[in-house]
Amino acid sequence: MKKTEKFNDIVNYSDRAFDYGFRADHVPETPVYAAREGEEVFITALPYNGTPIEEIEDLFDAVDFAMVEELGRSRYLSSLQIYQYVRLRGLTVQRQGIRNRLNKMKKLRLIREYDLKVPEAESGLKAYDLDYKGFQIALHRGVLFHKGNRYLSNKKKQELDKFDTSEDIKRILVGNMIVLASLMNNVSCKRFGIMETMRPTQEFPITDGCIIRTAANIQLDEESILLYEVVRSGPHAMRKLADKVSRYYTLINDTRYLENNYYGYKAVPQLIICGECYDHCVKIDQYLRSRNLINNTDSLLYTEDLFYVRRTLQTLYELDETGKRTWYSLPERKVFTDMEKIA
C-alpha cells in the first residue's frame, strides 16, 4: 500500500479560521475557469538569476517553503489558491503577502507565471508552476512528483512539444478548486490528489486501457473514492472524455484493481464529471449517451464549477435522459469543541 504523504493528508489542512477569499453570497454568473474562444497561454519572460538554491533556502520562512510545496503537489495554482492552501495549513499570511512572495520567487526563477488571455487583451488569468530551482526545493521538502505533476524545463517542453494549453491549465486549476472547497466546507475525507492515476499495480507501458488520470481525486473513507474529471467546452473535449469514460469502465470492472491497486484502495472509485455549468453537463451527458457510455450498472455523477465558490455540501448529481437532476451531498466532518474532546 502506498504511504499517505503529508502533502495529500487532510489532517494537515484543517485550519479554516481565515477569509476564504470569495463571497459565498455572491456567486458569479460565469465560471472563472470556463473556456474562452481564442484564449492562449503567455509565459512571463524574466532575466536569468544565478542565486544558489542553498542561499535562497537560508532566507526562506515557513510560508515560502509551503508555497513551493503546494505548487509542486498541485501542478498549477492561482494566487488565491496558494493563499488558501497555505492558510489551511495554519500558517499566517495575507493575500497581499502571497502576491509579494510570488513576485520575489519569479525574480529568483523559482516559479513560472502564465497569463491566460485572448490575444487582444492586456492581461488575463494568472497561474503559477515551479521553475527548476523551485522544483529542487520541493524535492528536498519531500514532495512526490509523478507524470501528472512532473517538472519540465521550457527547453524540454519545446523539444517534446509539451506546452500546456489554456484548457489544460484550467482543468488543473478547477481540480484544485474542488479540493480546496471540500477542505474549506469541512467535507469528511481522508486524502486528496491532483492529476494522479488510478490503476492496478502493473508494469508500464499499460496497453489494456486499465488506467485513468483525473484532474483531482478525494478519498472520503475506505469505501468511497471520488474521481473528478474536469471538462471544458473545447473542440476536442468530448472525444477525449469519451475515451476516459471508456477506460474508467475498464478499470472498475477489472478484478485486478481491488486485488492490488497503486494507492491500496479497498473500493472502486466513482467518476464525477465537472462541467462549466448545468447546460454544459447536459450536453456532456447527451453526448455520452449517444456513444453508449451511460449505463445503469456503473453510473456517472456530475458537478459544476460554481458549486465550488459556495459554502455547500450539495455538489453532486445524477442526470436522467431528460436532464432531470437527482442530488447528492458530501458527508460533513464532525468538529469537536475542546470540552467535547475532554469529555
Side-chain angles (χ1 to χ4, degrees):
M1 178 177 177
K2 189 177 184 294
K3 181 180 179 182
T4 300
E5 323 82 68
K6 61 181 177 180
F7 303 121
N8 300 78
D9 191 336
I10 301 300
V11 171
N12 299 315
Y13 296 85
S14 58
D15 191 329
R16 296 176 293 112
F18 66 96
D19 173 20
Y20 291 172
F22 61 81
R23 288 178 53 190
D25 61 339
H26 183 70
V27 179
E29 294 183 2
T30 303
V32 173
Y33 299 130
R36 301 284 187 271
E37 186 175 353
E39 190 172 57
E40 298 179 21
V41 180
F42 298 85
I43 187 168
T44 301
L46 293 166
Y48 171 77
N49 183 288
T51 307
I53 292 174
E54 295 78 10
E55 185 176 326
I56 294 171
E57 289 181 314
D58 286 342
L59 299 174
F60 262 22
D61 62 12
V63 173
D64 292 318
F65 282 119
M67 290 173 63
V68 170
E69 292 159 0
E70 295 306 314
L71 280 166
R73 192 270 329 288
S74 301
R75 186 65 179 93
Y76 290 110
L77 290 173
S78 69
S79 171
L80 172 60
Q81 290 174 336
I82 295 170
Y83 166 76
Q84 290 170 335
Y85 272 127
V86 170
R87 289 301 302 262
L88 281 163
R89 289 171 59 166
L91 296 169
T92 301
V93 65
Q94 300 300 317
R95 286 287 305 279
Q96 186 57 47
I98 291 292
R99 297 188 189 100
N100 293 341
R101 290 165 190 264
L102 287 172
N103 288 331
K104 175 184 68 177
M105 291 181 183
K106 282 192 299 180
K107 293 175 182 177
L108 290 169
R109 300 298 298 271
L110 295 174
I111 63 173
R112 296 176 288 201
E113 181 183 72
Y114 303 90
D115 205 1
L116 282 56
K117 63 177 183 175
V118 292
E120 63 272 16
E122 291 186 6
S123 63
L125 291 169
K126 298 289 194 300
Y128 302 89
D129 74 350
L130 295 181
D131 209 335
Y132 178 73
K133 287 190 283 188
F135 166 64
Q136 289 296 315
I137 292 174
L139 278 178
H140 298 165
R141 303 289 293 180
V143 176
L144 297 183
F145 289 87
H146 48 77
K147 193 172 181 180
N149 70 336
R150 64 178 174 169
Y151 168 78
L152 289 176
S153 67
N154 292 333
K155 181 179 179 181
K156 195 67 175 179
K157 286 182 179 182
Q158 190 170 19
E159 290 175 359
L160 300 175
D161 192 22
K162 289 290 185 180
F163 286 100
D164 285 334
T165 65
S166 175
E167 181 180 339
D168 295 329
I169 294 173
K170 284 184 173 181
R171 285 184 60 251
I172 299 173
L173 292 174
V174 173
N176 278 291
M177 183 171 69
I178 290 170
V179 168
L180 282 161
S182 300
L183 295 172
M184 291 185 291
N185 286 320
N186 209 33
V187 170
S188 179
C189 49
K190 296 181 63 176
R191 184 192 184 278
F192 66 92
I194 300 296
M195 291 294 285
E196 295 177 338
T197 56
M198 299 296 142
R199 66 182 189 272
T201 301
Q202 54 182 314
E203 296 295 325
F204 287 103
I206 295 172
T207 58
D208 58 4
C210 197
I211 182 172
I212 180 173
R213 184 193 306 279
T214 57
N217 65 82
I218 297 176
Q219 181 189 12
L220 300 181
D221 53 39
E222 293 300 325
E223 300 298 327
S224 301
I225 301 94
L226 308 180
L227 305 184
Y228 289 88
E229 176 54 17
V230 178
V231 182
R232 306 294 84 183
S233 53
H236 306 294
M238 293 292 196
R239 176 181 55 80
K240 292 178 181 177
L241 176 63
D243 175 68
K244 188 159 292 189
V245 170
S246 179
R247 284 187 281 111
Y248 168 68
Y249 290 143
T250 299
L251 178 80
I252 64 175
N253 289 293
D254 192 308
T255 57
R256 295 176 299 165
Y257 181 78
L258 290 183
E259 291 170 359
N260 189 12
N261 62 78
Y262 186 65
Y263 289 100
Y265 292 143
K266 299 178 181 178
V268 296
Q270 170 66 55
L271 183 62
I272 300 165
I273 298 170
C274 180
E276 296 176 354
C277 61
Y278 167 71
D279 289 341
H280 188 212
C281 288
V282 170
K283 289 180 181 178
I284 292 170
D285 187 73
Q286 291 173 345
Y287 177 81
L288 294 176
R289 289 180 187 276
S290 73
R291 299 287 298 271
N292 295 317
L293 289 172
I294 300 289
N295 61 64
N296 296 326
T297 305
D298 304 311
S299 63
L300 302 179
L301 297 180
Y302 293 90
T303 191
E304 304 166 20
D305 284 23
L306 292 183
F307 293 165
Y308 300 97
V309 292
R310 300 174 182 170
R311 293 180 182 172
T312 179
L313 296 173
Q314 185 174 284
T315 57
L316 309 178
Y317 57 81
E318 193 171 358
L319 284 170
D320 67 14
E321 62 276 6
T322 68
K324 181 181 178 181
R325 292 186 280 195
T326 300
W327 290 93
Y328 300 94
S329 295
L330 295 175
E332 184 174 12
R333 179 172 50 184
K334 181 172 175 57
V335 178
F336 294 96
T337 65
D338 290 340
M339 289 302 295
E340 287 174 323
K341 291 177 181 177
I342 293 172

